[in-house]
Amino acid sequence: MSDFSDLVAGYHRFRSTGWVQQRERWSELAVGQSPKVMVIACSDSRVDPSQIFDASPGEIFVVRNVANLVPPFEVGGGRHGVSAALEFAVTQLNVSEIVVMGHGQCGGANAALSRRFEHAAPGEGGFIANWIGLLDDARDRVICEHGTGPEAARAMEMETVKVSIENLRTFPCIPIRENAGSLRIHGAYFAIADGLLHLLDEKTGAFKPA
């Protein structure tokens, strides 16, 4: 798939196969959605959560952005796209689980580690720099422990998940539901090179193959 015409051709294939085969399901979804799981993933074209988790339409509520980041709870300044999506999923859809999924070869994590957009102007990398600034403290921890080599790159990718989970819990609606047992949070990491999914053990901080 290389251009918009390929997308349109893909739509026609979907319309004549997948949509027809799940016609009853699509009729149900036309009434409303009730996903039980929210997935926060990277915008990277190689890591589509629906494909990785083999999910059908309506099963997961997905938010994707650079480096699968969740900002901390804050009420001032700017627009809050991730916060709005999180608020909607938790307080309106009442999802019972949230999965934050990082991945291998993440450009956002790499940019945070190298600070390559540090002096870029908005529109030329400055927006990216401001966004991945959420990882500044994690970057310092990673470099202190791993330096800046290949091990650091993978560690930085996994830190994006931990930072996002920590920030998730700054939203008042999250700990209330966690403490009540109505919401669970999971960390995951998908390795593009070998297709393996790793799950975060929050007690040890380690990621282990699913």
Side-chain angles (χ1 to χ4, degrees), residues 164-184:
S164 287
I165 289 177
E166 181 179 351
N167 287 343
L168 271 175
R169 291 185 171 126
T170 66
F171 286 77
C173 62
I174 299 295
I176 290 175
R177 286 165 172 77
E178 273 197 295
N179 292 334
S182 60
L183 178 66
R184 292 190 298 169

Side-chain angles (χ1 to χ4, degrees), residues 145-174:
E145 185 173 351
H146 301 283
T148 57
E151 286 188 11
R154 186 177 174 91
M156 192 73 223
E157 291 160 357
M158 292 179 172
E159 280 294 313
T160 66
V161 176
K162 297 176 183 179
V163 168
S164 287
I165 289 177
E166 181 179 351
N167 287 343
L168 271 175
R169 291 185 171 126
T170 66
F171 286 77
C173 62
I174 299 295

Side-chain angles (χ1 to χ4, degrees), residues 9-27 29 56-57:
Y11 155 72
H12 286 296
R13 290 193 299 273
F14 157 73
R15 187 70 173 78
S16 61
T17 57
W19 188 83
V20 172
Q21 293 167 4
Q22 298 191 67
R23 183 68 184 89
E24 184 176 342
R25 175 61 174 160
W26 285 106
S27 294
L29 292 174
S56 296

Side-chain angles (χ1 to χ4, degrees), residues 3-13:
D3 55 30
F4 182 66
S5 63
D6 290 328
L7 294 179
V8 175
Y11 155 72
H12 286 296
R13 290 193 299 273

Side-chain angles (χ1 to χ4, degrees), residues 43-172:
S43 299
D44 194 299
S45 62
R46 299 166 291 179
V47 285
D48 178 6
S50 294
Q51 185 176 34
I52 292 169
F53 295 116
D54 193 23
S56 296
E59 289 187 332
I60 56 177
F61 184 83
V62 180
V63 172
R64 300 179 69 175
N65 61 53
V66 173
N68 43 269
L69 290 173
V70 175
F73 178 82
E74 54 189 1
V75 295
R79 309 288 182 175
H80 301 284
V82 175
S83 301
L86 175 64
E87 184 177 68
F88 182 73
V90 174
T91 69
Q92 305 304 307
L93 295 177
N94 293 308
V95 296
S96 56
E97 299 186 274
I98 298 176
V99 180
V100 179
M101 184 179 73
H103 70 94
Q105 290 78 51
C106 179
N110 179 271
L113 190 62
S114 64
R115 287 184 172 169
R116 60 182 244 199
F117 295 113
E118 186 174 14
H119 302 295
E124 298 179 358
F127 290 128
I128 300 172
N130 183 59
W131 179 248
I132 59 177
L134 290 166
L135 296 169
D136 282 351
D137 290 343
R139 175 187 183 274
D140 293 342
R141 291 195 299 269
V142 167
I143 290 180
C144 181
E145 185 173 351
H146 301 283
T148 57
E151 286 188 11
R154 186 177 174 91
M156 192 73 223
E157 291 160 357
M158 292 179 172
E159 280 294 313
T160 66
V161 176
K162 297 176 183 179
V163 168
S164 287
I165 289 177
E166 181 179 351
N167 287 343
L168 271 175
R169 291 185 171 126
T170 66
F171 286 77

